[in-house]
């Protein structure tokens, strides 16, 4: 695949988005909110799936464009199922041109969700996996998965995907969840292609963006990389590029600077572990089994 040159690409280069519907998770602040703002400015109808609907309404109150604010907590599988089920029957339903799985947490202490699952793994991978598969019949263009360059430092342990037997480590759990995102995209694209679907699965890495997500990390890794970080506006460009540009399925969009930590969006390559089709298939099965064990 030829790497594209995008050094001058900015949000001002977004295409006309009038008539298109975009669903963004975790869009009440940070990269998600910037992405929502710019897509709405370009004419899209933007649906924000958020935990705190009042906060999200305040965040977009003075922004131009069309926004729908809907309750969605991707760490709560009941909430995920309710959001997906309501899409078909509600007046705000219809085709979803683009789904952006943006919601995430980073390097948090061990915690379990209401479903008894690892909070970080569920927020970053398991919940978005369930949301995507439930909404897939409505999606017409693409799914954008927000990952991290830190996935390259990880591996997947299918025997303990949910961190039940291993000693929990917040940063390692984060890295593993973001590798799971990369593998999910690989297997999703394989299945879409096999089915003859025109829908694309695309990955976006914002680099190391100076957002609340990174600032809450307890790891010194982030502190050591401060000089390499993107500001949030530039970090969001990877999401916007992945959501709107004509890139091949399973493209990995990230900053063009050293290490993929900062810069303008371009097509990069994920880590070697994220290119393993056999592992991607096994992870899909393991994740499906994990969400299937939770009472509906």
């Amino acid at each position: 695949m030829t790497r594209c040159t995008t050094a001058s690409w900015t949000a001002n280069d977004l295409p006309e988005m009038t008539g298109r519907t975009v669903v963004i998770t975790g869009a009440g602040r940070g990269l998600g909110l910037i992405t929502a703002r710019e897509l709405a400015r370009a004419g899209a109808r933007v649906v924000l799936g958020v935990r705190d609907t009042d906060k999200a309404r305040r965040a977009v109150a003075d922004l131009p464009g069309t926004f729908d604010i809907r309750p969605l907590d991707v760490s709560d599988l009941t909430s995920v199922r309710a959001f997906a089920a309501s899409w078909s029957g509600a007046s705000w339903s219809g085709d979803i041109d683009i789904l952006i799985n943006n919601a995430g947490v980073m390097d948090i202490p061990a915690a379990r969700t209401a479903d008894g699952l690892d909070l970080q793994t569920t927020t970053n991978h398991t919940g978005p996996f369930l949301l995507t598969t439930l909404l897939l019949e409505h999606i017409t263009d693409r799914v954008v998965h927000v990952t991290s360059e830190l996935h390259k430092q990880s591996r997947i342990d299918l025997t303990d995907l949910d961190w039940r037997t291993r000693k929990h480590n917040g940063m390692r759990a984060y890295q593993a969840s973001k590798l799971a995102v990369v593998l999910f995209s690989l297997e999703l694209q394989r299945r879409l292609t096999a089915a003859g679907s025109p829908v694309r699965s695309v990955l976006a890495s914002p680099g190391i963006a100076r957002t609340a997500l990174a600032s809450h990390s307890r790891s010194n890794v982030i502190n050591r990389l401060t000089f390499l970080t993107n500001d949030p506006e530039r970090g969001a460009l990877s999401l916007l590029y992945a959501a709107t540009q004509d890139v091949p399925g399973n493209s990995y969009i990230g900053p063009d600077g050293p290490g993929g930590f900062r810069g303008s969006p371009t097509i990069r390559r994920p880590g070697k572990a994220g290119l393993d089709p056999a592992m991607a298939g096994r992870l899909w099965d393991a994740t499906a089994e994990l969400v299937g064990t939770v009472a509906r």
Side-chain angles (χ1 to χ4, degrees):
M1 183 183 299
T2 302
R3 176 183 285 191
C4 51
T5 302
T6 59
S8 61
W9 197 89
T10 72
N12 291 327
D13 297 308
L14 284 169
E16 172 61 45
M17 299 289 288
T18 300
R20 294 170 69 77
T21 295
V22 184
V23 175
I24 310 177
T25 67
R29 64 177 184 174
L31 300 178
L33 179 58
I34 294 170
T35 302
R37 181 195 72 200
E38 293 302 320
L39 291 174
R41 181 182 60 80
R45 168 199 176 208
V46 181
V47 179
L48 281 66
V50 295
R51 290 185 300 174
D52 189 333
T53 55
D54 290 337
K55 182 177 179 180
R57 287 191 184 93
R58 291 193 296 270
V60 302
D62 297 324
L63 299 180
T66 302
F67 299 94
D68 286 338
I69 314 297
R70 303 296 168 183
L72 172 63
D73 180 353
V74 295
S75 73
D76 182 340
L77 301 191
T78 299
S79 175
V80 171
R81 290 190 173 102
F83 182 92
S86 67
W87 192 268
S88 296
S91 59
W92 47 277
S93 63
D95 288 340
I96 299 170
D97 295 284
I98 304 163
L99 169 63
I100 302 178
N101 287 316
N102 164 76
V105 292
M106 180 180 189
D107 189 21
I108 61 174
R112 293 277 155 186
T113 70
D115 302 303
L117 303 176
D118 176 65
L119 177 59
Q120 186 159 214
T121 303
T122 304
T123 304
N124 294 350
H125 167 61
T126 314
F129 171 94
L130 180 61
L131 179 67
T132 301
T133 54
L134 291 176
L135 289 178
L136 199 55
E137 64 181 303
H138 302 289
I139 298 171
T140 62
D141 184 352
R142 70 189 72 188
V143 181
V144 176
H145 318 263
V146 179
T147 185
S148 166
E149 281 292 305
L150 296 179
H151 83 271
K152 296 177 179 179
Q153 302 178 23
S154 188
R155 65 181 182 86
I156 297 293
D157 185 348
L158 292 178
T159 67
D160 189 26
L161 185 61
D162 199 42
W163 292 85
R164 293 185 179 276
T165 60
R166 290 174 291 170
K167 181 179 179 181
H168 188 274
N169 178 284
M171 181 53 75
R172 287 204 298 270
Y174 174 75
Q175 293 166 344
S177 70
K178 290 303 184 178
L179 174 56
V181 169
V182 176
L183 289 166
F184 173 39
S185 176
L186 178 63
E187 177 62 10
L188 177 59
Q189 186 60 58
R190 185 195 70 78
R191 291 175 178 239
L192 290 168
T193 301
S197 171
V199 176
R200 285 173 277 188
S201 179
V202 184
L203 290 154
S205 167
I208 305 296
R210 296 191 295 275
T211 65
L213 182 75
S215 67
H216 290 164
S217 172
R218 300 168 299 142
S219 172
N220 286 329
V221 172
I222 304 302
N223 295 330
R224 291 199 302 268
L225 296 177
T226 299
F227 69 99
L228 288 174
T229 57
N230 261 340
D231 62 74
E233 295 285 338
R234 178 159 285 194
L237 291 180
S238 289
L239 282 68
L240 291 165
Y241 194 92
T244 63
Q245 300 304 291
D246 186 15
V247 296
N250 201 46
S251 292
Y252 182 92
I253 309 301
D256 59 4
F261 291 145
R262 64 178 296 173
S264 298
T266 190
I267 295 181
R268 302 185 63 95
R269 282 179 63 84
K272 184 177 179 180
L275 296 171
D276 184 344
M279 175 58 80
R282 291 195 295 271
L283 175 63
W284 181 292
D285 292 341
T287 307
E289 180 178 359
L290 185 63
V291 300
T293 63
V294 177
R296 293 178 182 268

